[in-house]
Amino acid sequence: MMENLRTAANNPVIKIVFAIIILSFILTGVGGYLVSGSNYAAKVNDTEISVQQLERAFQEERNRQQAQLGDLFSQLVSTEEGVKQIRSQALNQMIDTILLEQYARKLGITVSDDQIISAIRQEPDFQVNGQFSQQAYETFLSRNGITGDNYATYLRKQMIQAQLVQPFVRDSFVLDSEVTNAAAVLLQSRTIRTATLDLASAQAKQTTTDEELQAYYAKNKNSFIAPQSLKISFVELDAANIQDNTSVTEEQIQDYYDKNIPRFTVPAKGEYSQITLATEDDAKAVLNELKNGADFKTLAKEKSTDKLTARNGGVIGWMEDAALIPEIKGAGLTTAGQISEVLKVDNGYAIFRLDVYEPETVRPLADVKEEATRLAKGEAASKAFFDLQQKASEAAANDNESLMGVEQATGVKAVQTDWFALNSLPDAVNYPEVLKALTENKLFDEKGPSGANSDIITVSGDRAFVIRVDEYRPEAVESFEKVKSDIDALVKRSKAEAALNAEADKLLTALKEGKGDAALTEAGVKFGAEQTVQRLNPSDPVINAAFTQPHPADGKPTYSRTIDGKGNIVLVQLDKVTAGTATDQEKTELRTVLRQQMASTELESLLLNLRANADIDVRNMN
């Protein structure tokens, strides 16, 4: 059984599995999937995925793909099918996760409370100067809005799943010959020369007539549709401005301190140690030795079966009273040096000792004055921001003909934008909540602006808007005169591409027939110097072409053509292929990669089998 989360999480296959199919903690929370009622998105055997959980997963997958794809993402989500694809991917990830959880339960895979505590205490994010920091741990819980029990539940799931996939990497075996063959291919190098047919130069030589441009426009009018566009006015409320202009009195600071004593209280905590034995008789024997004066740390190092704590003389570490595991809490240890009776634990029998105890203490205001002032100021600013939003909301409703009432109520001047399309909001208002208000709150329709103000629109918790649509333009085909220069460039490019393709085909034929020199000279094209390339960047079209064309034979090079990122046609001459060889370190790394691939394949087979034997009900979420 796994001793701690860090060891398991460093496993390469586990990282891959978690990245592909295990939803993140922030994405799904830790409350589990089971939701009562019939309003679910999918049901996997007896486990339901709620509509809300799927929506959170969809948004997270959407954000992940946006960060990964960049500008290409807008093309993906511009169609209904693209959005369906993202939603389907999110749902399939959730289904796979649940299937693994159910399979783990069927196998009886468990994780003890001690293992959970050990994993938490060894997490680097919760350590300060190499030691577990309760404050760092609590900051993490607070930042994510969860309790310690919630996090423990989440962690238990992750550790169980880690144990489930561990055998896939442990049992994967790769032969030396497989590593050598893989190195020969993956580390292979090729010697090439290239000649470029420049698109820009060819395009500059092209001419067009007005008739050609008119014909292109008539045939491709749908390519020149201007989207619906708007001009809006808005009043922006910024919490940061209120925070900067908020001050608090000594009385307000004292009042905040008095009302929030728990925030300034250091919980009672103790440092505990343990000795774990396999049988009750062994544990009783050790307890008798302790009662007769034996040293606890020495016995822990010599006899404890819990290797994690044994090496430190049995020390578990500091724990707050509220975070004690049931076994320690039930032992009733209240005095430093006190030793428990023999207690049954998940992995045997244990004896606990309270090494040091620090009772609960309230930090005096003088010691926390800076923190209390900051928090009191933040609370006052939050209330002022909320009150200002209320005023803006009331003014927007009472004076619905303009934003003048909102300006007077808030002291903030309205701003008007230039024309913009809904898929490219101006930076000042580029928030999903503003877009939703524009599209769902009927501030305009195909006839024009509604003439109404929006209600208050809160974004990111620290910013709010009231908006109104001033002007509206419906979707329409751009006039020929407006897009004439664009069409001219498109037609010239099309002619240039056709000319280059014909030239490239002619040159390639001549090169393969051994008549390349004369053809190249006539075309004013020549091959550059030799260069050696490897598979370091397979997305490079030239490298991809070099590694997909046939090997040279009988001392004669082979040829291919491709198009680079600028639209130029590149002729590739392949002169030599050299098999790759790997250093000992590279062989080790390559063996790990091959094992990962084998383990991933086996895991995929397991998931396919689990799906085939599961009762999966996916409802129509379109």
Side-chain angles (χ1 to χ4, degrees):
M1 185 173 288
M2 190 173 55
E3 296 268 339
N4 58 75
L5 179 64
R6 178 59 51 190
T7 300
N10 279 333
N11 186 291
V13 171
I14 291 173
K15 288 182 177 180
I16 291 174
V17 173
F18 283 177
I20 296 175
I21 64 169
I22 296 180
L23 302 179
S24 72
F25 169 63
I26 302 302
L27 170 61
T28 60
V30 292
Y33 294 100
L34 192 57
V35 178
S36 60
S38 59
N39 184 28
Y40 59 82
K43 188 173 183 180
V44 185
N45 295 318
D46 60 348
T47 303
E48 295 176 3
I49 299 173
S50 73
V51 174
Q52 293 80 7
Q53 287 167 335
L54 175 58
E55 185 59 29
R56 289 199 301 270
F58 165 70
Q59 292 299 333
E60 181 68 16
E61 180 65 14
R62 191 179 188 278
N63 294 339
R64 185 190 69 78
Q65 293 199 25
Q66 185 173 16
Q68 182 178 15
L69 298 176
D71 293 340
L72 295 176
F73 179 75
S74 59
Q75 300 178 22
L76 174 63
V77 296
S78 64
T79 64
E80 185 178 350
E81 285 303 315
V83 175
K84 286 182 179 179
Q85 176 184 328
I86 297 175
R87 189 176 296 277
S88 177
Q89 289 169 342
L91 179 58
N92 281 323
Q93 288 172 354
M94 297 183 80
I95 290 173
D96 285 343
T97 300
I98 292 172
L99 287 171
L100 284 180
E101 290 176 356
Q102 293 174 345
Y103 186 56
R105 288 200 301 269
K106 182 179 179 180
L107 295 180
I109 297 176
T110 61
V111 171
S112 70
D113 290 341
D114 284 348
Q115 288 175 297
I116 297 293
I117 292 173
S118 174
I120 292 173
R121 297 186 63 80
Q122 293 186 71
E123 171 57 48
D125 289 342
F126 302 154
Q127 294 188 355
V128 175
N129 297 326
Q131 299 294 320
F132 174 74
S133 167
Q134 186 71 28
Q135 184 176 357
Y137 175 58
E138 290 178 353
T139 299
F140 167 82
L141 298 179
S142 176
R143 185 171 62 245
N144 290 286
I146 57 172
T147 66
D149 288 342
N150 289 148
Y151 182 63
T153 300
Y154 155 76
L155 202 57
R156 193 183 303 275
K157 281 186 179 182
Q158 296 291 69
M159 294 172 71
I160 286 173
Q161 290 173 351
Q163 290 186 62
L164 177 62
V165 300
Q166 184 81 23
F168 290 102
V169 67
R170 184 187 63 226
D171 298 337
S172 298
F173 183 74
V174 180
L175 297 173
D176 290 342
S177 59
E178 292 176 313
V179 175
T180 301
N181 292 337
V185 175
L186 295 175
L187 302 180
Q188 181 189 101
S189 63
R190 297 196 171 196
T191 303
I192 66 170
R193 294 194 297 158
T194 63
T196 302
L197 307 184
D198 188 67
L199 177 63
S201 298
Q203 186 170 337
K205 298 174 183 177
Q206 306 303 316
T207 61
T208 60
T209 66
D210 198 60
E211 289 76 14
E212 287 177 316
L213 302 185
Q214 288 279 8
Y216 188 94
Y217 176 73
K219 187 177 180 179
N220 298 278
K221 279 188 176 182
N222 288 340
S223 300
F224 303 105
I225 294 177
Q228 60 181 0
S229 54
L230 311 168
K231 275 187 179 182
I232 70 170
S233 292
F234 65 90
V235 171
E236 178 182 4
L237 308 179
D238 188 348
N241 293 335
I242 297 176
Q243 177 81 17
D244 293 340
N245 295 311
T246 299
S247 60
V248 288
T249 64
E250 291 295 323
E251 289 76 15
Q252 288 176 300
I253 297 171
Q254 182 68 57
D255 182 63
Y256 181 88
Y257 174 81
D258 293 339
K259 291 179 179 178
N260 294 275
I261 288 296
R263 181 182 288 274
F264 305 107
T265 298
V266 179
K269 62 180 180 179
E271 185 179 41
Y272 295 86
S273 296
Q274 70 174 12
I275 301 176
T276 304
L277 288 308
T279 68
E280 186 175 10
D281 288 342
D282 290 343
K284 287 180 177 179
V286 169
L287 180 61
N288 285 333
E289 290 186 62
L290 292 170
K291 289 181 177 179
N292 289 328
D295 181 67
F296 192 98
K297 287 189 175 183
T298 300
L299 289 180
K301 290 181 179 179
E302 294 175 352
K303 300 187 176 184
S304 181
T305 58
D306 188 312
K307 303 305 180 185
L308 185 64
T309 56
R311 68 170 70 102
N312 296 321
V315 175
I316 302 173
W318 287 92
M319 285 185 284
E320 295 179 3
D321 287 357
L324 290 176
I325 61 173
E327 291 85 353
I328 295 180
K329 186 179 294 185
L333 303 177
T334 58
T335 307
Q338 186 178 357
I339 296 174
S340 74
E341 295 299 317
V342 173
L343 298 169
K344 180 70 176 73
V345 293
D346 289 344
N347 56 341
Y349 293 83
I351 302 164
F352 296 101
R353 184 179 72 171
L354 175 57
D355 302 326
V356 184
Y357 188 73
E358 295 181 0
E360 176 182 286
T361 57
V362 177
R363 292 182 291 170
L365 177 57
D367 292 350
V368 295
K369 184 67 174 292
E370 183 177 344
E371 180 184 1
T373 301
R374 176 178 56 81
L375 293 171
K377 182 179 177 181
E379 184 177 76
S382 295
K383 183 179 184 305
F385 185 53
F386 176 78
D387 291 343
L388 190 63
Q389 291 182 74
Q390 288 294 103
K391 291 180 181 179
S393 179
E394 292 170 3
N398 293 336
D399 179 8
N400 207 24
E401 298 299 320
S402 72
L403 291 177
M404 289 182 60
V406 179
E407 290 179 315
Q408 294 171 359
T410 62
V412 180
K413 294 295 292 182
V415 176
Q416 186 180 56
T417 69
D418 200 350
W419 289 102
F420 66 89
L422 288 174
N423 62 359
S424 57
L425 270 61
D427 290 342
V429 293
N430 190 15
Y431 298 95
E433 296 86 352
V434 174
L435 177 61
K436 183 177 181 181
L438 284 169
T439 55
E440 296 183 5
N441 289 0
K442 300 181 179 178
L443 297 178
F444 71 94
D445 57 25
E446 65 276 4
K447 296 178 182 179
S450 68
N453 297 328
S454 73
D455 195 359
I456 195 76
I457 305 167
T458 302
V459 300
S460 306
D462 60 357
R463 198 175 300 273
F465 295 89
V466 177
I467 64 174
R468 65 180 291 112
V469 176
D470 297 325
E471 297 183 63
Y472 169 76
R473 287 177 181 166
E475 179 181 277
V477 177
E478 299 276 21
S479 68
F480 173 74
E481 292 303 325
K482 187 171 183 178
V483 297
K484 183 177 179 179
S485 61
D486 295 333
I487 295 175
D488 181 69
L490 289 169
V491 173
K492 286 181 177 178
R493 181 184 177 99
S494 179
K495 288 184 175 183
E497 288 173 343
L500 286 187
N501 275 312
E503 185 70 30
D505 288 341
K506 178 181 176 182
L507 291 173
L508 205 56
T509 299
L511 287 166
K512 291 179 178 179
E513 293 176 351
K515 305 174 183 178
D517 291 343
L520 290 170
T521 300
E522 181 181 349
V525 178
K526 63 179 180 179
F527 281 99
E530 281 190 351
Q531 53 180 311
T532 301
V533 296
Q534 292 182 304
R535 301 177 190 267
L536 299 178
N537 186 12
S539 61
D540 185 310
V542 173
I543 294 179
N544 187 56
F547 276 91
T548 53
Q549 67 191 76
H551 289 208
D554 301 326
K556 297 180 179 180
T558 60
Y559 299 93
S560 67
R561 54 172 285 185
T562 188
I563 298 176
D564 66 15
K566 297 180 179 179
N568 304 317
I569 294 182
V570 181
L571 304 179
V572 181
Q573 175 179 305
L574 175 59
D575 295 322
K576 182 181 178 182
V577 176
T578 304
T581 57
T583 64
D584 289 343
Q585 181 178 348
E586 288 172 335
K587 287 180 180 179
T588 299
E589 294 172 353
L590 189 54
R591 188 183 300 276
T592 299
V593 171
L594 293 175
R595 291 181 68 191
Q596 290 175 7
Q597 292 176 341
M598 293 174 64
S600 297
T601 301
E602 292 171 3
L603 183 62
E604 183 178 354
S605 298
L606 169 63
L607 283 168
L608 289 173
N609 183 264
L610 292 176
R611 277 180 172 265
N613 292 282
D615 182 10
I616 302 175
D617 174 22
V618 177
R619 297 197 166 182
N620 188 353
M621 298 304 298
N622 299 331

